[in-house]
Amino acid sequence: MSVTPEPPAQWHRVLTLLATVSLLIGTRDVWTQAATHRPAVAALISVCYASILGCGVLTLVVRRRRALARVDLCVLVTGLTLAVCALAMAHRGSDESVLTTQAAREIVAGNPVYGRPWPWLFGGNGIALTPTVTGGYDYTYGYPPLAPLLTAPLLWIGHGGLPAIVLSTGALLAGTVVLWWLLPAPWRSAATMVCLGFSMLPMYGRLGYPAILALALLIPVVVRWPRIGRGGRLGPAGLAQAACLGAACAAQQLPWFLAPFLLAGIYCVRRGELGARPAGLVVLRVAGVAATVWLLINTYFIVSQPVEWLKGIALPLIQGAVLHGQGLVGVSLYLTNGSDRLDWYSHASLLLLAGLLVLFVLFVRRLGPGATVLPWCAFWLATRSQDGYYLMMTPLWLAAAVTAPSAEFAGAWQPFADRLGGAVRRPARIAAAVLLLSPALASALLAATGTPPLRMEVAAVRHDARVMSRVTLRVTNTDDDALTPHFTFTRGQGMYPYFSVLRGPATLPAHTTATYELRPPEGTYALPKPGQRIRLRAFTSSPQTLSSAFVQLPTS
C-alpha cells in the first residue's frame, strides 16, 4: 500500500512565491544598463527572468515538500546570480568603499590608517562628503579594521572602491547562503527575500558598506542565540558564535549596540535554566571569546597608533556630523527652522538605548524575541538616524523571528518577577516602562522644541543670468552664548558644501548683529528655477545648533 507524500503547507508556497516576486524589484534597471553595454550580462538576466517565471509556476503546482525545497534552492541561486549581475553593472561605490580600500592600501604599504585625512578621495567622482558642525568635512577612516584587512588581498581587482565593494557583496552573498542553510527548510525562501530581494541589501553591498560584513558575521550569532551555553557548555557551535560576535564588532560599530542585548538575554535564559553563578560563567566565556577575537583583529593598530585607533573606531560617535536621516531630527531639519539644543538628540538616543536594555532584562520573557530589533530603535532619536541602520540589519530580525521564538524565553529569569508579573501587576509593568523611557522622551522633546539661535536674512546677491557668485547676509545672534556659524544652502534633503566666509566675524557674540559676505565653494552657485525653494542653514559646534531660513534668491 503506497503512502501519498504530505503536500507542502500553503504558507510555505506563499512564502516561496513572495521571495520569487521580490527578485523582480530593480532587475529591469540592471537589464537596461546591461543591454547597452554588456549584452552577455543582459542575456544572463534574461535567463534569470525565465527562472523566476518557472519558479513561480512550480511553487504553485508541486505536490511534495521536497520538490518545493528544490524550488527554494532555485530561487536562492537566481537571487545570487542577479546580485552578481548587478555588481557587474554598478560598482562605482561610495565614500565607505573608497575609504575602506584606501585603508587597505595603507595597511599593505605599512602606513598608519587612523587619523590620516585622504581628501583626494572625495568630491570629483561623485563620492559624498561627510560635513561636520565645525564647518569642515571628515576625510578619515572611522571604522574598526576588519574590513580593510580583508580588503587588502583583493586590491588587485581594480581601482577606486571596487575591492571593498567586492568584499561587501561577497559577504552579503555568503551571509545569505549561511542564513538560508541554518533556517528550517520551510523558511529558507524568506532568507532569499530579505537578503537579496527588494533590491535593498544588494545596493548597500555595491556601495561597499562595512556594515554588510558585520551583518554577515552576525547571522550565525543570532540564529538560535537563546540556546548559546545551554547546559552550561558552549561547545563548538557556541564558541563559533562568540567568535563571530567578536569579529562583527571588529568590522563595524553597529554590532556594539546589539551585543549588550544578546549577552543580557543569554544570561537571563541561562539563569532560569542553571542558576545565577553558572549563567554568569557562561556569559563571561561568551564575552571572553568575543573580546579575544576582537583584540586579536585590533592588536596591530592598538600597538602602532593607540590614540588614533581609539579615536578612529569611535569616530561616528564623536565626529559631530551634521543632522541627517529619517528619524526625529527631521523636525529640526524640515518642520521647524532649527534648534539650539541639538545635543539633546544624542542624549535622547543614549537614554533610550539604556532604557530599552533595562526593560529588556525586566521583561525578557516578553521582549526576548525582539532583541535584534530593539537596539535600532535608539537610532530613530539620534542626530544621524539614517534608515540604513535599520535596513542593513533586517535579516537578523528574520533569523530571530524563526529561531528565537517566545517559547525559548518562557523559563528565563526576570528580576522582580513576582512584583511585575501576572495580570494583576500590569499597571506596575506599564509604570516601569514609562519611568525608564521618560528621560529619553523628555530629552527628545527638549531637542525638537529648541529655537534657532541665529536670525538670518539675505541683504544682497551678486549674480549673472544663471549663477550667484556672492551673497551678503545680516545675521543676529539671539542666544546667550557666542556662536561660530558655518553657512550653506540647500534645495532639498541634501546639503550643499559649506560657503566660504569672505567678510564677517568668525565668532558672533551673544545678542549682536553682523554682516557676512559668503562665496560658494566652487566660486559660483546655480540660481534656483522659478518656484524652487532655497533654505539657508547655519551650523555651530559649541553648543551644537542649527538655524535655518527660507530665502529669496534671483531665479535663473
Side-chain angles (χ1 to χ4, degrees):
M1 179 178 179
S2 62
V3 178
T4 304
E6 186 177 355
Q10 190 65 19
W11 65 264
H12 185 183
R13 293 185 190 272
V14 173
L15 190 60
T16 302
L17 188 64
L18 290 174
T20 304
V21 172
S22 73
L23 298 181
L24 292 169
I25 300 174
T27 300
R28 182 178 180 182
D29 292 337
V30 180
W31 179 89
T32 301
Q33 299 174 38
T36 304
H37 304 290
R38 295 188 178 181
V41 175
L44 183 56
I45 295 174
S46 294
V47 173
C48 290
Y49 272 119
S51 176
I52 290 172
L53 292 170
C55 288
V57 173
L58 291 173
T59 298
L60 299 176
V61 301
V62 294
R63 296 183 178 182
R64 299 182 179 183
R65 290 183 178 181
R66 182 174 295 181
L68 189 54
R70 291 171 180 165
V71 176
D72 289 334
L73 179 60
C74 186
V75 175
L76 173 66
V77 172
T78 304
L80 296 173
T81 304
L82 287 173
V84 173
C85 291
L87 174 63
M89 296 309 305
H91 50 256
R92 188 175 66 175
S94 66
D95 54 335
E96 310 263 350
S97 62
V98 295
L99 280 170
T100 302
T101 303
Q102 183 62 32
R105 292 193 180 100
E106 299 295 338
I107 291 173
V108 171
N111 297 325
V113 170
Y114 292 103
R116 300 192 65 189
W118 301 314
W120 62 87
L121 298 176
F122 299 85
N125 297 321
I127 304 301
L129 292 163
T130 300
T132 65
V133 291
T134 59
Y137 306 92
D138 204 320
Y139 302 112
T140 60
Y141 187 73
Y143 299 104
L146 182 57
L149 288 172
L150 296 180
T151 301
L154 304 176
L155 292 177
W156 59 271
I157 291 177
H159 300 288
L162 184 59
I165 294 168
V166 171
L167 171 70
S168 182
T169 301
L172 176 62
L173 301 185
T176 303
V177 173
V178 169
L179 180 58
W180 190 93
W181 179 259
L182 292 178
L183 290 182
W187 293 101
R188 286 175 172 171
S189 277
T192 305
M193 177 167 52
V194 172
C195 293
L196 302 177
F198 310 123
S199 191
M200 292 192 312
L201 293 185
M203 177 192 69
Y204 281 102
R206 295 194 301 274
L207 292 174
Y209 275 53
I212 295 296
L213 174 62
L215 165 68
L217 291 167
L218 285 174
I219 284 173
V221 178
V222 168
V223 173
R224 300 179 182 87
W225 71 266
R227 302 183 185 182
I228 296 175
R230 175 175 286 185
R233 292 173 50 85
L234 289 184
L239 290 172
Q241 287 175 292
C244 286
L245 179 61
C249 291
Q252 212 259 1
Q253 291 88 350
L254 285 178
W256 299 1
F257 298 89
L258 176 62
F261 286 83
L262 295 182
L263 294 176
I266 292 170
Y267 175 79
C268 292
V269 174
R270 296 284 76 82
R271 181 166 175 174
E273 175 195 8
L274 306 170
R277 188 173 183 275
L281 292 175
V282 168
V283 172
L284 284 177
R285 286 197 290 270
V286 173
V289 172
T292 300
V293 172
W294 185 83
L295 282 172
L296 287 174
I297 295 171
N298 284 275
T299 296
Y300 169 77
F301 305 94
I302 296 173
V303 173
S304 61
Q305 41 177 170
V307 176
E308 293 80 3
W309 163 82
L310 184 59
K311 291 180 179 178
I313 64 172
L315 188 65
L317 306 177
I318 63 175
Q319 68 185 162
V322 300
L323 300 186
H324 180 67
Q326 292 73 44
L328 189 65
V329 294
V331 172
S332 297
L333 275 171
Y334 310 116
L335 301 183
T336 68
N337 285 328
S339 173
D340 56 351
R341 299 191 288 255
L342 297 184
D343 287 321
W344 285 95
Y345 282 118
S346 297
H347 303 334
S349 179
L350 293 176
L351 288 170
L352 181 58
L353 185 68
L356 289 173
L357 181 58
V358 175
L359 275 179
F360 177 76
V361 174
L362 287 177
F363 308 113
V364 67
R365 295 173 190 171
R366 174 65 63 86
L367 297 180
T372 56
V373 184
L374 285 171
W376 321 124
C377 297
F379 286 96
W380 195 79
L381 300 182
T383 55
R384 303 287 285 185
S385 56
Q386 301 175 84
D387 60 358
Y389 297 142
Y390 327 131
L391 292 179
M392 287 187 284
M393 296 296 143
T394 47
L396 304 182
W397 305 7
L398 171 67
V402 176
T403 66
S406 57
E408 295 282 352
F409 302 90
W413 169 79
Q414 283 190 170
F416 313 112
D418 294 337
R419 298 181 183 180
L420 298 177
V424 178
R425 304 298 182 180
R426 184 176 181 184
R429 297 200 301 270
I430 295 175
V434 171
L435 180 64
L436 289 168
L437 300 183
S438 290
L441 298 178
S443 298
L445 184 63
L446 194 63
T449 56
T451 56
L454 300 179
R455 189 168 60 247
M456 303 175 292
E457 58 180 325
V458 175
V461 177
R462 186 188 304 175
H463 65 95
D464 59 22
R466 295 183 178 179
V467 297
M468 172 182 70
S469 57
R470 297 287 189 277
V471 59
T472 302
L473 307 176
R474 285 183 59 80
V475 182
T476 301
N477 181 3
T478 63
D479 203 66
D480 294 329
D481 297 314
L483 299 175
T484 302
H486 309 283
F487 302 95
T488 185
F489 286 86
T490 178
R491 300 169 188 261
Q493 63 84 28
M495 176 178 157
Y496 196 75
Y498 284 114
F499 278 48
S500 301
V501 177
L502 301 180
R503 180 167 59 92
T507 300
L508 186 60
H511 304 292
T512 60
T513 300
T515 299
Y516 286 85
E517 184 177 356
L518 309 180
R519 182 183 67 185
E522 301 294 332
T524 58
Y525 179 79
L527 292 174
K529 298 177 181 179
Q532 189 175 38
R533 305 183 79 185
I534 299 292
R535 205 163 194 169
L536 170 64
R537 298 196 190 277
F539 290 93
T540 70
S541 61
S542 184
Q544 190 173 165
T545 72
L546 167 63
S547 303
S548 303
F550 284 108
V551 296
Q552 293 291 331
L553 295 179
T555 56
S556 58

